[in-house]
Amino acid sequence: NAGVTQTPKFRILKIGQSMTLQCTQDMNHNYMYWYRQDPGMGLKLIYYSVGAGITDKGEVPNGYNVSRSTTEDFPLRLELAAPSQTSVYFCASSYYSTYEQYFGPGTRLTVT
Amino acid sequence: DAKTTQPNSMESNEEEPVHLPCNHSTISGTDYIHWYRQLPSQGPEYVIHGLTSNVNNRMASLAIAEDRKSSTLILHRATLRDAAVYYCILRDLAGGSEKLVFGKGTKLTVNP
């Protein structure tokens, strides 16, 4: 199993540009999550999904959108990039909410 | 979510045991104690979790105080690869908590 994979690894965006961060898991997990981590800080939850077609907001959802059309994929969309969105983004998945979460390697995003 | 308190940093020597403390004085009866760690430039990885009894797995041991207001993650023989930020997280699994609430964690330095 590849586990949780994320693309791209790095990206530089200009203010106002849009992009989609890709996340795929091959463990048949029901739950998927998007977190962001600012320098020197812990992770904060952006959005999560409990299954295909169902998503919900986390702690810091503003400026982001998600969709979950399949069990495997959970893309994160940034519509109008702002410098405050400069961060490292981690995708995670778990079989159920009470189970441990498996994290991807992260996407380092810089908005200038 | 109940809050946890961890030291900002700790230092250890290679091959020696490491005891990482965590205080959670407002823990509720249905809160599980989870530990994750984050190696440099990687996503977090699950280490161990427990409710009341001490727990052991291949990575570490978790010692939980009788009143559950504190716990200790024990690495029996630290290696250089154990240098990471360790997060102690409470999860209310009775409430089906979807999110992991990350604090700043404890940065563990392992000296050769």
Side-chain angles (χ1 to χ4, degrees):
Chain A
N1 287 351
V4 179
T5 56
Q6 294 182 237
T7 56
K9 286 186 167 49
F10 304 94
R11 184 72 186 269
I12 298 174
L13 280 182
K14 293 190 186 304
I15 295 171
Q17 286 185 322
S18 301
M19 78 164 294
T20 299
L21 283 66
Q22 302 291 346
C23 175
T24 299
Q25 54 93 8
D26 63 358
M27 296 175 282
N28 201 31
H29 283 171
N30 296 309
Y31 284 67
M32 296 188 74
Y33 313 81
W34 274 105
Y35 293 87
R36 60 176 286 175
Q37 185 174 33
D38 298 330
M41 305 297 287
L43 282 71
K44 292 187 178 179
L45 183 67
I46 305 171
Y47 270 96
Y48 67 96
S49 169
V50 304
I54 306 170
T55 63
D56 208 346
K57 296 177 181 178
E59 190 180 355
V60 289
N62 291 344
Y64 307 95
N65 279 302
V66 294
S67 60
R68 182 99 181 268
S69 57
T70 67
T71 300
E72 296 78 19
D73 300 306
F74 190 40
L76 177 71
R77 178 85 179 159
L78 282 72
E79 289 295 348
L80 290 170
S84 60
Q85 293 177 305
T86 294
S87 191
V88 180
Y89 290 83
F90 291 101
C91 179
S93 72
S94 64
Y95 181 68
Y96 189 60
S97 64
T98 56
Y99 286 49
E100 61 265 29
Q101 294 184 14
Y102 293 83
F103 286 79
T107 293
R108 186 175 296 275
L109 176 67
T110 302
V111 181
T112 62
Chain B
D1 295 298
K3 192 177 160 84
T4 63
T5 304
Q6 300 177 252
N8 290 334
S9 62
M10 291 185 64
E11 209 167 316
S12 172
N13 296 321
E14 204 175 5
E15 304 290 315
E16 291 182 355
V18 181
H19 290 231
L20 296 163
C22 181
N23 286 320
H24 28 78
S25 57
T26 59
I27 191 170
S28 74
T30 53
D31 281 332
Y32 278 70
I33 303 158
H34 282 241
W35 285 82
Y36 281 73
R37 72 178 185 181
Q38 187 173 19
L39 279 62
S41 300
Q42 293 189 28
E45 65 174 340
Y46 167 81
V47 178
I48 200 167
H49 77 279
L51 181 62
T52 56
S53 305
N54 294 345
V55 184
N56 301 297
N57 66 19
R58 63 175 180 81
M59 290 181 71
S61 296
L62 176 61
I64 301 172
E66 198 167 331
D67 64 4
R68 301 210 324 125
K69 294 184 185 300
S70 65
S71 60
T72 302
L73 179 71
I74 302 166
L75 307 179
H76 295 284
R77 291 180 67 200
T79 68
L80 296 178
R81 197 195 172 278
D82 291 321
V85 178
Y86 287 79
Y87 298 99
C88 170
I89 300 166
L90 299 184
R91 298 190 74 190
D92 182 3
L93 299 186
S97 174
E98 289 79 17
K99 61 181 181 181
L100 294 173
V101 179
F102 287 81
K104 292 188 179 181
T106 297
K107 183 176 182 179
L108 175 66
T109 301
V110 180
N111 300 313

